[in-house]
Amino acid sequence: MSLLRLLSAVAATSLLAAAGCGGGGSGAPTPGAGEAGEITTYRDTNLPGKMLVNHPAGDAVVFDLRTGERTALPTLEKAKARWTAGASADTVLRWELHPYAGTVPIAFFSTRTWTRTRDDITIHASFDRPKLSADGKQILTFWHDSSQGVFSSEKNPLTIFDAEQGAVVKRGSMLTEDDTVISSPAAWLPDGQYVYLVANALYISSPSERTSRLVATLDLPINGDFGDYVSGTSTLVASPDGTHLAFTWRESRGTAWDGHIWVVRADGTGLRRITKVPDEATAMSYGFVSPTWSPDGRWIAGMYNMSGSVVAPIFPDDQSFPLPGGVIGSTGCGTNQVFVLPADAERTVISWPRFDAQYGIKVRAPAGQPGGQWLSACGDIAWLP
């Protein structure tokens, strides 16, 4: 932890009496919900759809952005799990986390009822972040080999499986065995094709094609430690209509490395960055991660990951706290701000450590607690219809 980050946390620790932290939202009770139960989830309005929030312990939650209500998703008794959304509006995947097991099951759940929609399939445990195609027939995923050589013949990162049987449909891409994929730099398009990033090069292909076509070489800053471009560090998502892409990109600023969210048209034009750090002079690194599109394509949500400098936000008009609108330094999980920006935003500053009420999402507090809370997370998020 840097000295600046440590001092920021220490300075706020004395204020820790009024708020707690937990997956999917934290902070003191607020006047966000009226006597009749009304709540505005974003500024003075309500957003469409639902926000799925993962948690490292496997306890995922979905928040209805029209009402602020929360729903806990089905858990596993003896294993942790993560949920992922792809191009399908009706189905999300729950996959178990067993990095050293032989195979793991993938379950299919309806985004309306949160019940299983078909039989599970199994794939090798080293495949990560599976994404379902729009027609629900195929799954795109990446190989994350932590077993040091075991099953090395399957190492090529990008693989497509049949969603009915779990059989391999296609393996291989412009990503090579030397490209260590630590994120998910690929996304399905509505027409069944998919796009992916290799360093700053955008490619397109489909399950039936053996090759990939270069769409564009994007004018992005260097993202490697040695003045070069590296692959596998970006998370890529497509807008619901497939016309635009949002992705994360690592870039240097002095001695710091920030993670930003960029947007580009699917044809490679109109590249722009939508996030900006609040203090360009600080040595602290900022992380804007987990981009996800709203169902209507008008908004992009993300998570403000401060690399361990977690916060517990409160509403700015809560007069019970001595510093309205502040954040309380803490340690633990579930306190990274979830923010929403217009899809046409450009280099927008989101404040830190002061919680940004302009771009935050309000949800209802857990049962038995009054008022509402700012939405926060410590796992991937996904915006669902």
Side-chain angles (χ1 to χ4, degrees), residues 285-299:
S285 295
Y286 292 84
F288 302 95
V289 301
S290 197
T292 180
W293 291 84
S294 65
D296 58 10
R298 296 178 54 200
W299 310 91

Side-chain angles (χ1 to χ4, degrees), residues 89-143:
D90 302 320
T91 307
V92 292
L93 306 179
R94 187 187 70 185
W95 46 284
E96 297 187 19
L97 301 177
H98 294 290
Y100 299 105
T103 60
V104 294
I106 294 179
F108 302 77
F109 281 81
S110 164
T111 57
R112 294 183 176 87
T113 63
W114 300 111
T115 57
R116 278 182 163 90
T117 60
R118 65 176 87 166
D119 293 337
D120 296 359
I121 64 169
T122 58
I123 64 174
H124 192 273
S126 289
F127 286 104
D128 194 23
R129 296 178 177 88
K131 298 179 179 180
L132 190 64
S133 60
D135 61 9
K137 295 181 178 180
Q138 293 170 324
I139 293 173
L140 186 155
T141 183
F142 286 88
W143 178 264

Side-chain angles (χ1 to χ4, degrees), residues 46-261:
N46 291 84
L47 294 167
K50 302 181 286 286
M51 189 70 70
L52 189 157
V53 178
N54 276 293
H55 190 281
D59 302 322
V61 180
V62 166
F63 294 88
D64 191 322
L65 299 183
R66 292 155 294 203
T67 65
E69 299 286 352
R70 66 181 68 205
T71 301
L73 298 187
T75 59
L76 297 169
E77 291 186 5
K78 298 181 179 181
K80 296 179 181 179
R82 186 174 295 168
W83 298 71
T84 51
S88 172
D90 302 320
T91 307
V92 292
L93 306 179
R94 187 187 70 185
W95 46 284
E96 297 187 19
L97 301 177
H98 294 290
Y100 299 105
T103 60
V104 294
I106 294 179
F108 302 77
F109 281 81
S110 164
T111 57
R112 294 183 176 87
T113 63
W114 300 111
T115 57
R116 278 182 163 90
T117 60
R118 65 176 87 166
D119 293 337
D120 296 359
I121 64 169
T122 58
I123 64 174
H124 192 273
S126 289
F127 286 104
D128 194 23
R129 296 178 177 88
K131 298 179 179 180
L132 190 64
S133 60
D135 61 9
K137 295 181 178 180
Q138 293 170 324
I139 293 173
L140 186 155
T141 183
F142 286 88
W143 178 264
H144 291 245
D145 190 359
S146 58
S147 55
Q148 300 191 6
V150 178
F151 297 98
S152 59
S153 63
E154 297 188 52
K155 186 181 176 184
N156 192 291
L158 195 154
T159 303
I160 296 174
F161 290 90
D162 170 65
E164 294 293 334
Q165 304 296 327
V168 173
V169 174
K170 179 181 179 181
R171 177 180 295 120
S173 66
M174 298 303 294
L175 292 162
T176 71
E177 292 191 5
D178 295 327
D179 292 320
T180 301
V181 177
I182 61 174
S183 189
S184 186
W188 287 107
L189 298 176
D191 62 3
Q193 297 187 99
Y194 58 89
V195 291
Y196 63 97
L197 279 172
V198 180
N200 64 325
L202 180 66
Y203 287 89
I204 188 170
S205 189
S206 70
S208 62
E209 294 179 276
R210 298 296 102 183
T211 60
S212 301
R213 290 159 282 134
L214 178 65
V215 176
T217 300
L218 305 180
D219 185 18
L220 290 163
I222 295 295
N223 67 336
D225 292 317
F226 303 101
D228 57 353
Y229 286 104
V230 296
S231 300
T233 63
S234 295
T235 295
L236 178 68
V237 289
S239 62
D241 62 4
T243 60
H244 289 76
L245 310 172
F247 61 93
T248 57
W249 192 257
R250 181 176 185 255
E251 52 195 270
S252 64
R253 176 182 45 80
T255 59
W257 282 95
D258 301 320
H260 283 288
I261 296 177

Side-chain angles (χ1 to χ4, degrees), residues 4 251-258 260 273 275-286 288 304 347-350 352:
L4 178 59
E251 52 195 270
S252 64
R253 176 182 45 80
T255 59
W257 282 95
D258 301 320
H260 283 288
R273 198 178 79 188
T275 53
K276 183 180 180 180
V277 302
D279 183 0
E280 297 280 353
T282 183
M284 181 181 295
S285 295
Y286 292 84
F288 302 95
Y304 213 161
R347 295 182 180 265
T348 303
V349 172
I350 301 174
W352 196 91

